[in-house]
Amino acid sequence: MATEYKLRMGDGKRLFMTKEQIVADLKEGMADAADLGDIPDLSEDEIDKLVEIITMPSRMVGVEQGMEVPVTHDIGTIRIDGDQGNSGVGIPASRLVGAMMHERAFGADTMELGHIDYSYKPAKPVIAQEMQTMEVCQQNMIVPLLYGAMPNMGLYYTPDGPFENPGDLMKAFKIDEARESMEHSAKHLTRDIVWIMQRMMASGSDGVNFDTIGAAGDGDMYASLHAIESLRKQFPDIYIEAGMAGELLLGMHGELEYDGTVLAGLWPHQQAALVAKAGANVFGPVVNTNTSKSSAWNLGRAVTFIKQAVKDSTIPCHVNMGMGVGGIPMLETPTVDAVSRASKAMVEIAGVDGI
Amino acid sequence: MSNEEMFKQLSDAIVSCKKDAVLAAVEKARDEGIPPAEIIEKGLAAGMNEVGVLFERGKLFLPHVMMAAGAMEAGVALLEEDMPKDAASKKLGIIVNGTVEGDVHDIGKSIVSTMLQSAGFEVHDIGRDVPLQDFIDKVKETNADMVGLSALMTTTLQGQKDVIEMLKEQGMRDGVKVMVGGAPATEAWANKIGADCYAENASEAVTKAKELLL
Ligand code: B12
């Protein structure tokens, strides 16, 4: 009987596959990315290397010596204190303690201060507390500490916000009205992000992390790019990290453009150029995990997309790796076998600058 | 311009999602003497299928599909003027046609209605997202010979089966033929649920209706 290796399904379930099956799935995942993104396949050598990483006998793997990359944590400040609903471990601790533990105990290279209600809009009414916490953290820490939140443009639509919900308008076939609603929301979102960051910068923040850009579609991306542009102008030295929500920028609006490029339908390698143009320092590309495919299929696909994003990006790429992204199974606490293998593949094959 | 080129132009106009382009292409095709049924099926509907493919691949999005759908409706409306409303002085039969509950896709269903009508049937198009009981009520009210059930989603296909069951329960099944259609429906599905026929497109719907009712 052929040797079988332990893998995972995209939903985390244990899976046994032969080498031939692994290669077939890797190639199928790769072909899917190449087809959708109109990008090249991986080379035979790269596929061999992926097989090698997947079939390594150790439970956990690491990058080759000398290939270490910086790791950044989003919302890590509340990963200690937060409960499972917040991807945390539920140990009572302040945000300062959370941030310092990541810096001093876990080796995080940069950190982010985030509010438990992790979007820009809800940070507005608690801005004084956010400013004070940023100041205290900065006084106690050495690694760069950014302020981070999700643009989350959906919060500007009814019933959460002032503008009529485009989903409802679309259902009534009111396309123009839906688009107007998105355009208004985007303006407000840009304004809010800039307002919040002006205050956080005044409190000593080293920069800003845009977490999950595009979650509400192309309007969300439009607003974020304009916020990045404005912040870069106001604070020439601000460190800006622009992380995406998903691999494909959905065209909820469909016609919004930035710098002459239509935003709807952009894949990671195409998003990179716009993020750099707007003035970000780091791009955080995302590839989504398909839960009904094997980790080999997902990794083959994710590495193909990210390799091209790294190639086309003029700024460093810190790939998003976590539950349900980057070839990692969709689990609240993803398994170390899958996380470490996917991370090693991203660094050694896709060539990412950070995670 | 050859007919093939004209069909391509019609299809491209739908893919552009622009109503003006579609109307212009339809006018041109009409001037070239292409029959309305062909303009719709080989040109506009082919374009709509392409829109579906591009939507699945993330090249076009919901607002685009809605715009293409609006453009297609306008194009078909323009052609309806050309189609004889009362082709035969004596009606070939009475047909109730609609899209089942939960499903708002009505472009294909409306084309089927138009073609059946111009072939000489008396058609009562009861619209889209139609509560299932309404099909039964309309059949009773019009004393229809046939009911057409359209469903465009795998999730709404079941509605076709439910209407057939309701017709049986209400003792009406023997008096009315059932024709099903829509992209996810198939010949096998029609057999399985006990429909009288399935048609893949509007012209086939006309042929099948004639077979069953004449
Ligand atoms: C246009 C379109 C829309 C338009 C519809 C506008 C309108 N007024 O009809 C809009 C934008 C509103 C829309 C909405 C949605 N859509 Co839509 N839509 C399509 C699309 C791209 C084309 C359909 C079409 O008009 N084709 C052209 C016509 C001419 O062809 P046709 O409908 O097949 O009809 C022909 C034959 O089937 C037959 N026929 C049709 N009816 C009947 C009836 C009888 C009796 C007979 C004999 C024959 C027959 O003859 C017709 C003429 O030749 C299809 C993809 C596709 N390629 O089919 C998706 C598709 C049908 N939609 C889909 C979905 C999921 C949706 C939405 C849920 C939106 C979303 N989340 O993406 C909503 C549905 C809301 C609801 N509750 O119904 C899915 C369905 C998936 C599934 N599970 O089956 C599809 C397949 C796209 C996809 N791959 O995701 N959609």
Short mmCIF file of all heavy atoms in Angstrom, two decimals, chain A residues 35-36 170 173 175 179 249-254 264-265, chain B residues 56-59 61-64 66-67 69 73 104 128:
data_model
loop_
_atom_site.label_atom_id
_atom_site.label_comp_id
_atom_site.label_asym_id
_atom_site.label_seq_id
_atom_site.Cartn_x
_atom_site.Cartn_y
_atom_site.Cartn_z
N ASP A 35 -5.92 30.33 -13.43
CA ASP A 35 -7.03 30.60 -14.33
C ASP A 35 -7.78 31.87 -13.90
O ASP A 35 -7.99 32.79 -14.71
CB ASP A 35 -7.96 29.38 -14.29
CG ASP A 35 -9.23 29.60 -15.09
OD1 ASP A 35 -9.13 30.15 -16.19
OD2 ASP A 35 -10.32 29.24 -14.59
N LEU A 36 -8.15 31.95 -12.63
CA LEU A 36 -8.92 33.10 -12.16
C LEU A 36 -8.11 34.40 -12.24
O LEU A 36 -8.63 35.43 -12.66
CB LEU A 36 -9.36 32.88 -10.71
CG LEU A 36 -10.48 31.87 -10.49
CD1 LEU A 36 -10.64 31.58 -9.00
CD2 LEU A 36 -11.79 32.39 -11.07
N MET A 170 -30.99 47.44 -3.92
CA MET A 170 -30.76 46.52 -5.04
C MET A 170 -31.95 45.60 -5.22
O MET A 170 -32.36 45.31 -6.35
CB MET A 170 -29.53 45.65 -4.78
CG MET A 170 -28.23 46.39 -4.96
SD MET A 170 -27.82 46.48 -6.71
CE MET A 170 -26.12 46.99 -6.59
N PHE A 173 -34.41 46.89 -7.23
CA PHE A 173 -33.88 47.24 -8.54
C PHE A 173 -33.49 48.71 -8.66
O PHE A 173 -33.50 49.28 -9.74
CB PHE A 173 -34.87 46.86 -9.66
CG PHE A 173 -34.94 45.37 -9.88
CD1 PHE A 173 -35.72 44.57 -9.07
CD2 PHE A 173 -34.18 44.77 -10.87
CE1 PHE A 173 -35.76 43.20 -9.24
CE2 PHE A 173 -34.22 43.39 -11.06
CZ PHE A 173 -35.01 42.61 -10.25
N ILE A 175 -30.64 50.53 -8.73
CA ILE A 175 -29.18 50.43 -8.82
C ILE A 175 -28.50 51.77 -8.58
O ILE A 175 -27.53 51.86 -7.83
CB ILE A 175 -28.75 49.88 -10.21
CG1 ILE A 175 -29.46 48.55 -10.47
CG2 ILE A 175 -27.25 49.68 -10.26
CD1 ILE A 175 -29.18 47.98 -11.84
N ARG A 179 -25.92 52.75 -5.55
CA ARG A 179 -24.55 53.23 -5.78
C ARG A 179 -24.30 54.56 -5.05
O ARG A 179 -23.24 54.77 -4.47
CB ARG A 179 -24.32 53.40 -7.28
CG ARG A 179 -24.13 52.07 -7.95
CD ARG A 179 -23.84 52.21 -9.42
NE ARG A 179 -23.29 50.97 -9.92
CZ ARG A 179 -23.36 50.58 -11.19
NH1 ARG A 179 -23.93 51.37 -12.07
NH2 ARG A 179 -22.83 49.45 -11.58
N LEU A 249 -11.83 41.45 -4.91
CA LEU A 249 -12.54 42.66 -4.52
C LEU A 249 -13.92 42.65 -5.17
O LEU A 249 -14.05 42.80 -6.39
CB LEU A 249 -11.73 43.87 -4.98
CG LEU A 249 -11.99 45.16 -4.23
CD1 LEU A 249 -11.90 44.96 -2.72
CD2 LEU A 249 -10.98 46.19 -4.65
N LEU A 250 -14.93 42.46 -4.34
CA LEU A 250 -16.29 42.32 -4.87
C LEU A 250 -16.85 43.65 -5.35
O LEU A 250 -16.70 44.68 -4.68
CB LEU A 250 -17.21 41.74 -3.80
CG LEU A 250 -16.90 40.30 -3.37
CD1 LEU A 250 -17.84 39.86 -2.27
CD2 LEU A 250 -16.97 39.35 -4.54
N GLY A 251 -17.53 43.60 -6.48
CA GLY A 251 -18.08 44.83 -7.06
C GLY A 251 -19.49 45.10 -6.59
O GLY A 251 -20.44 44.95 -7.35
N MET A 252 -19.63 45.51 -5.35
CA MET A 252 -20.97 45.86 -4.86
C MET A 252 -21.47 47.08 -5.63
O MET A 252 -22.64 47.21 -5.92
CB MET A 252 -20.94 46.21 -3.36
CG MET A 252 -20.30 45.18 -2.48
SD MET A 252 -21.32 43.73 -2.36
CE MET A 252 -20.49 42.81 -1.10
N HIS A 253 -20.56 48.01 -5.91
CA HIS A 253 -20.87 49.19 -6.70
C HIS A 253 -20.62 48.87 -8.16
O HIS A 253 -21.49 49.03 -9.01
CB HIS A 253 -19.99 50.35 -6.22
CG HIS A 253 -20.27 51.66 -6.90
ND1 HIS A 253 -19.97 51.88 -8.22
CD2 HIS A 253 -20.82 52.81 -6.43
CE1 HIS A 253 -20.32 53.13 -8.54
NE2 HIS A 253 -20.84 53.71 -7.48
N GLY A 254 -19.42 48.42 -8.45
CA GLY A 254 -19.10 47.94 -9.79
C GLY A 254 -18.37 48.92 -10.67
O GLY A 254 -17.70 48.52 -11.61
N ALA A 264 -13.61 46.88 -8.85
CA ALA A 264 -14.34 45.61 -8.82
C ALA A 264 -13.58 44.54 -9.58
O ALA A 264 -13.14 44.78 -10.70
CB ALA A 264 -15.73 45.79 -9.43
N GLY A 265 -13.45 43.38 -8.96
CA GLY A 265 -12.86 42.25 -9.66
C GLY A 265 -11.35 42.15 -9.61
O GLY A 265 -10.76 41.33 -10.31
N GLU B 56 -19.95 34.41 -12.55
CA GLU B 56 -19.39 33.31 -11.76
C GLU B 56 -17.89 33.46 -11.61
O GLU B 56 -17.32 33.08 -10.59
CB GLU B 56 -19.69 31.97 -12.44
CG GLU B 56 -20.88 31.27 -11.83
CD GLU B 56 -21.35 30.12 -12.70
OE1 GLU B 56 -20.56 29.20 -12.91
OE2 GLU B 56 -22.51 30.17 -13.16
N ARG B 57 -17.22 34.02 -12.59
CA ARG B 57 -15.77 34.14 -12.55
C ARG B 57 -15.30 35.43 -11.88
O ARG B 57 -14.11 35.73 -11.85
CB ARG B 57 -15.19 34.05 -13.96
CG ARG B 57 -15.33 32.65 -14.56
CD ARG B 57 -14.75 32.60 -15.95
NE ARG B 57 -13.36 33.04 -16.01
CZ ARG B 57 -12.32 32.28 -15.69
NH1 ARG B 57 -12.51 31.07 -15.28
NH2 ARG B 57 -11.09 32.75 -15.77
N GLY B 58 -16.22 36.22 -11.37
CA GLY B 58 -15.82 37.44 -10.67
C GLY B 58 -15.39 38.56 -11.59
O GLY B 58 -14.67 39.46 -11.20
N LYS B 59 -15.80 38.48 -12.86
CA LYS B 59 -15.45 39.56 -13.80
C LYS B 59 -16.59 40.59 -13.86
O LYS B 59 -16.36 41.75 -14.15
CB LYS B 59 -15.21 39.00 -15.21
CG LYS B 59 -14.16 37.91 -15.27
CD LYS B 59 -12.75 38.48 -15.19
CE LYS B 59 -11.72 37.35 -15.20
NZ LYS B 59 -10.45 37.68 -14.59
N PHE B 61 -20.33 41.81 -11.69
CA PHE B 61 -20.95 41.70 -10.38
C PHE B 61 -22.45 41.99 -10.46
O PHE B 61 -22.96 42.38 -11.50
CB PHE B 61 -20.23 42.62 -9.41
CG PHE B 61 -18.82 42.18 -9.18
CD1 PHE B 61 -17.79 42.63 -9.98
CD2 PHE B 61 -18.53 41.24 -8.20
CE1 PHE B 61 -16.48 42.18 -9.81
CE2 PHE B 61 -17.24 40.79 -8.02
CZ PHE B 61 -16.21 41.26 -8.82
N LEU B 62 -23.11 41.84 -9.31
CA LEU B 62 -24.56 41.92 -9.30
C LEU B 62 -25.12 43.17 -9.99
O LEU B 62 -26.06 43.05 -10.79
CB LEU B 62 -25.09 41.79 -7.86
CG LEU B 62 -26.54 41.36 -7.76
CD1 LEU B 62 -26.80 40.04 -8.47
CD2 LEU B 62 -26.96 41.21 -6.29
N PRO B 63 -24.58 44.37 -9.71
CA PRO B 63 -25.15 45.54 -10.40
C PRO B 63 -25.06 45.41 -11.91
O PRO B 63 -25.96 45.83 -12.63
CB PRO B 63 -24.30 46.73 -9.92
CG PRO B 63 -23.53 46.24 -8.76
CD PRO B 63 -23.50 44.75 -8.79
N HIS B 64 -23.95 44.80 -12.39
CA HIS B 64 -23.80 44.63 -13.84
C HIS B 64 -24.86 43.67 -14.37
O HIS B 64 -25.46 43.91 -15.41
CB HIS B 64 -22.42 44.05 -14.18
CG HIS B 64 -21.28 44.88 -13.65
ND1 HIS B 64 -20.38 44.39 -12.75
CD2 HIS B 64 -20.93 46.16 -13.89
CE1 HIS B 64 -19.50 45.34 -12.46
NE2 HIS B 64 -19.81 46.43 -13.14
N MET B 66 -27.72 43.05 -13.14
CA MET B 66 -29.02 43.72 -13.11
C MET B 66 -29.17 44.67 -14.29
O MET B 66 -30.24 44.78 -14.89
CB MET B 66 -29.20 44.46 -11.78
CG MET B 66 -29.27 43.50 -10.61
SD MET B 66 -29.44 44.32 -9.03
CE MET B 66 -31.11 44.86 -9.10
N MET B 67 -28.08 45.37 -14.61
CA MET B 67 -28.13 46.30 -15.74
C MET B 67 -28.31 45.53 -17.05
O MET B 67 -29.10 45.93 -17.92
CB MET B 67 -26.87 47.15 -15.80
CG MET B 67 -26.84 48.23 -14.73
SD MET B 67 -25.18 48.85 -14.45
CE MET B 67 -24.89 49.71 -15.98
N ALA B 69 -29.71 42.67 -17.36
CA ALA B 69 -31.07 42.14 -17.36
C ALA B 69 -32.06 43.22 -17.81
O ALA B 69 -32.96 42.97 -18.61
CB ALA B 69 -31.43 41.62 -15.98
N GLU B 73 -34.40 43.17 -21.14
CA GLU B 73 -35.86 43.37 -21.10
C GLU B 73 -36.28 44.42 -22.11
O GLU B 73 -37.28 44.26 -22.83
CB GLU B 73 -36.29 43.81 -19.69
CG GLU B 73 -36.61 42.63 -18.79
CD GLU B 73 -36.69 43.03 -17.31
OE1 GLU B 73 -37.01 44.21 -17.02
OE2 GLU B 73 -36.41 42.17 -16.48
N VAL B 104 -36.88 35.45 -8.54
CA VAL B 104 -37.23 36.68 -9.26
C VAL B 104 -36.77 36.68 -10.72
O VAL B 104 -36.94 37.66 -11.43
CB VAL B 104 -36.66 37.95 -8.57
CG1 VAL B 104 -37.10 38.03 -7.13
CG2 VAL B 104 -35.15 38.00 -8.68
N ARG B 128 -43.40 36.93 -11.69
CA ARG B 128 -42.30 36.19 -11.04
C ARG B 128 -42.55 36.14 -9.55
O ARG B 128 -43.40 36.87 -9.04
CB ARG B 128 -40.99 36.91 -11.33
CG ARG B 128 -40.96 38.33 -10.79
CD ARG B 128 -39.69 38.98 -11.22
NE ARG B 128 -39.54 40.29 -10.61
CZ ARG B 128 -38.72 41.21 -11.09
NH1 ARG B 128 -38.03 40.98 -12.17
NH2 ARG B 128 -38.61 42.37 -10.48
#
